[in-house]
């Protein structure tokens, strides 16, 4: 009798991992099958599927709405017409009927109905505010949600935060906060009172273009695992020294950032989207961050201080994509800098831009798993190192 293995929602194809997985299965019992679900055609191509593909249609609105109510823990049969219309409008935005998006949205809402008033909502865990403005009613509203676990405010404020934050820090059960302005300039400062949210695990302040610094009280958030600061263009210094439980740090497009203080202590850090080699940021600060995975962009400014050895990035086997942007410096310096940026041989994708040198570092030939190489504005390069079978000339 054959066996079955299910791999659900495969997102990041990796030829090496797939080959290792299938090796012990090649001599399996007759009738054995591997069922793979994915939203990406390249996954199917990578796996060289020889069976019939079964494209799935998106769910209709009725089924989407039922799925939404189920994961939001709401009895569909007793909701009011007003709430029904709101729910219908929400599921229409779930990418046109994708069940995963619908389930996720329902889980975020996750309302619990009160036993005494079955037609009303008493206990809110997740709250999302769109385009909210400063008002006494909003402050009062937040104060009533003592069991709130997650608060999202999108395009909901413009430089006013004091009174709102005073209400937010009273919500001691908060585990996730998202304060993204989108169309407004956003916050200019974060009050010290944020240090009282000791259960906070997720903080997203992306897009707050006027934010320049963090209060020292941020160090009290020792349970924080994810900090997102994407697009905080004026922030110059981020202190993560005491955030020892951090797993994810996103600082892309923080154009003024010159120091991530204490990053060398985050030995459990798994995701770092960008690191700027300038100011007091040193490549050696990444030496012990060997759990880094996914992709990493390194912005290289001028003549940064490089590590004494080239083992900083080569010890990070889980980094599969790397982007090197040479902002300035002369040809000779850039070649020396590149020599110190050698990645692990498992790297699958490499993007190099604005490199002025005439040749690349020797380590490019050692990237045996490399599947994608993109060169942008590397105008002095005439030949590439050995890639595959032979040296490649560039016309």
């Amino acid at each position: 009798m054959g066996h079955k293995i299910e791999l659900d929602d495969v997102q990041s194809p990796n030829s090496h991992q797939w080959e290792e997985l299938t090796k012990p299965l090649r001599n399996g019992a007759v009738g054995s099958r591997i069922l793979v679900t994915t939203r990406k055609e390249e996954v199917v191509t990578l796996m060289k599927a020889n069976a019939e593909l079964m494209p799935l249609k998106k769910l209709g609105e009725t089924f989407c709405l039922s799925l939404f109510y189920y994961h939001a823990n709401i009895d569909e049969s007793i909701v009011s017409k007003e709430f029904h219309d709101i729910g219908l409008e929400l599921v229409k935005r779930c990418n046109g009927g994708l069940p995963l998006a619908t389930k996720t949205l329902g889980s975020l809402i996750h309302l619990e109905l009160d036993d005494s008033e079955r037609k009303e909502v008493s206990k809110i865990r997740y709250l999302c505010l769109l385009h909210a403005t400063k008002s006494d009613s909003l402050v009062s509203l937040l104060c009533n949600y003592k069991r709130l676990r997650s608060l999202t405010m999108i395009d909901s404020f413009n430089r006013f935060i004091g009174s709102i934050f005073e209400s937010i820090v009273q919500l001691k059960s908060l585990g996730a906060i998202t304060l993204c302005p989108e169309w407004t300039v956003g916050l200019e400062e974060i009050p010290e009172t944020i240090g009282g949210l000791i259960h906070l695990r997720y903080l997203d302040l992306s897009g707050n273009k006027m934010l320049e610094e963090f209060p020292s009280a941020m160090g009290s958030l020792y349970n924080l695992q994810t900090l997102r600061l994407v697009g905080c263009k004026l922030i110059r210094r981020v202190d993560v020294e005491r955030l020892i439980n951090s797993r994810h740090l996103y600082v892309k497009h923080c154009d003024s950032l010159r120091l991530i203080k204490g990053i060398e202590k985050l030995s459990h850090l798994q995701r770092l989207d960008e690191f700027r080699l300038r100011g007091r940021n040193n490549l050696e600060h990444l030496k012990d961050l060997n759990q880094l995975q996914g992709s990493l962009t390194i912005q290289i400014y001028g003549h940064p201080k490089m590590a004494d050895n080239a083992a900083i990035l080569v010890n990070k086997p889980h980094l599969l994509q790397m982007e090197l942007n040479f902002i300035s410096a002369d040809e000779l310096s850039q070649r020396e800098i590149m020599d110190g940026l050698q990645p692990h041989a498992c790297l699958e994708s490499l993007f190099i831009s604005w490199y002025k040198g005439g040749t690349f570092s020797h380590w490019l030939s050692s990237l045996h798993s490399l599947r994608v190489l993109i060169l942008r504005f590397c105008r002095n390069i005439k030949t590439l190192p050995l890639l595959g079978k032979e040296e490649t000339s560039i016309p």
Side-chain angles (χ1 to χ4, degrees):
M1 183 177 180
H3 301 282
K4 295 181 180 179
I5 295 178
E6 291 188 17
L7 302 177
D8 186 39
D9 197 23
V10 178
Q11 291 292 312
S12 301
N14 183 306
S15 56
H16 175 72
Q17 292 177 345
W18 177 246
E19 290 174 1
E20 290 298 313
L21 174 66
T22 56
K23 279 181 182 178
L25 304 176
R26 291 172 182 170
N27 298 318
V30 176
S32 298
R33 295 288 186 271
I34 298 179
L35 176 63
V36 178
T37 66
T38 182
R39 287 174 281 170
K40 296 183 176 181
E41 292 185 5
E42 55 264 36
V43 173
V44 179
T45 303
L46 171 71
M47 294 179 176
K48 300 176 182 178
N50 56 9
E52 180 181 355
L53 301 181
M54 294 181 290
L56 300 179
K57 297 180 180 180
K58 295 181 179 180
L59 296 178
E61 287 184 359
T62 302
F63 290 103
C64 268
L65 192 58
S66 296
L67 188 64
F68 166 76
Y69 282 135
Y70 176 79
H71 284 275
N73 196 24
I74 296 175
D75 188 346
E76 184 178 0
S77 65
I78 62 173
V79 297
S80 64
K81 181 181 183 305
E82 181 181 10
F83 191 83
H84 176 84
D85 293 340
I86 293 175
L88 187 60
E89 185 62 30
L90 288 173
V91 299
K92 285 181 179 179
R93 302 188 181 188
C94 292
N95 292 334
L98 289 181
L100 181 60
T102 305
K103 290 166 60 178
T104 302
L105 181 61
S107 298
L108 286 173
I109 301 298
H110 198 80
L111 302 176
E112 294 184 4
L113 298 180
D114 185 83
D115 291 334
S116 61
E117 294 185 13
R118 301 294 295 173
K119 292 187 179 181
E120 297 295 333
V121 177
S122 63
K123 296 179 181 180
I124 295 181
R125 299 291 187 270
Y126 305 89
L127 179 63
C128 179
L129 300 175
L130 302 176
H131 313 297
T133 58
K134 182 181 179 181
S135 65
D136 293 337
S137 58
L138 176 58
V139 174
S140 176
L141 179 74
L142 290 175
C143 291
N144 290 329
Y145 295 153
K146 300 298 184 182
R147 298 185 180 181
L148 202 63
R149 299 289 190 269
S150 175
L151 174 63
T152 298
M153 298 179 70
I154 299 178
D155 201 20
S156 297
F157 45 83
N158 188 4
R159 303 187 184 183
F160 76 89
I161 195 61
S163 58
I164 298 296
F165 234 102
E166 290 303 322
S167 301
I168 292 176
V169 296
Q170 301 304 315
L171 308 175
K172 301 301 183 182
S173 297
L174 271 178
I177 295 179
T178 299
L179 302 175
C180 295
E182 287 197 354
W183 302 112
T184 63
V185 296
L187 310 177
E188 291 184 346
E189 62 179 8
I190 301 294
E192 290 281 349
T193 48
I194 192 174
L197 297 173
I198 59 174
H199 297 294
L200 201 63
R201 294 176 178 269
Y202 179 96
L203 179 60
D204 188 355
L205 300 172
S206 298
N208 287 279
K209 303 177 182 64
M210 302 298 292
L211 190 61
E212 296 187 17
E213 61 180 357
F214 287 143
S216 58
M218 283 281 290
S220 301
L221 304 179
Y222 48 83
N223 286 313
L224 195 67
Q225 294 187 3
T226 300
L227 178 59
R228 294 183 58 89
L229 305 171
V230 178
C232 294
K233 297 181 179 297
L234 295 185
I235 198 95
R236 298 176 62 87
R237 180 177 180 272
V238 177
D239 189 347
V240 296
E241 192 168 15
R242 291 191 288 165
L243 304 181
I244 57 175
N245 289 310
S246 294
R247 298 293 189 272
H248 309 274
L249 178 59
Y250 299 90
V251 291
K252 204 160 191 175
H253 306 306
C254 293
D255 299 341
S256 303
L257 187 60
R258 282 172 168 75
L259 175 63
I260 305 179
K261 183 180 180 182
I263 191 172
E264 67 276 6
K265 298 182 179 181
L266 306 185
S267 58
H268 299 294
L269 196 67
Q270 298 173 4
R271 295 300 301 270
L272 175 65
D273 60 345
E274 183 174 281
F275 190 73
R276 292 175 177 254
L277 279 177
R278 71 170 175 184
R280 295 164 61 189
N281 280 336
N282 190 323
L283 188 67
E284 197 153 347
H285 293 163
L286 306 184
K287 180 179 179 181
D288 296 325
L289 276 58
N290 294 330
Q291 301 303 314
L292 287 179
Q293 56 186 264
S295 61
L296 172 63
T297 296
I298 299 180
Q299 306 280 13
I300 303 143
Y301 293 81
H303 303 76
K305 180 182 178 182
M306 299 300 292
D308 295 332
N309 57 72
I312 302 301
L313 298 179
V314 79
N315 290 335
K316 297 170 176 44
H318 308 297
L319 273 181
L320 302 181
Q321 302 175 40
M322 191 164 74
E323 180 175 342
L324 304 178
N325 294 325
F326 290 84
I327 308 302
S328 56
D330 55 43
E331 176 182 339
L332 180 60
S333 297
Q334 288 193 356
R335 174 57 193 267
E336 293 176 351
I337 293 169
M338 180 178 281
D339 288 344
L341 294 173
Q342 180 178 359
H344 193 276
C346 289
L347 194 75
E348 296 182 356
S349 176
L350 178 61
F351 186 159
I352 302 175
S353 63
W354 300 105
Y355 179 68
K356 296 178 181 178
T359 59
F360 286 120
S361 297
H362 67 281
W363 54 253
L364 198 63
S365 300
S366 68
L367 303 180
H368 306 303
S369 299
L370 194 68
R371 299 174 56 224
V372 177
L373 174 62
I374 300 176
L375 306 179
R376 181 172 178 263
F377 300 121
C378 300
R379 293 171 178 169
N380 295 332
I381 292 293
K382 300 301 181 184
T383 60
L384 292 175
L386 192 65
L387 295 174
K389 296 183 178 180
E390 58 185 17
E391 189 173 56
T392 304
S393 297
I394 298 179

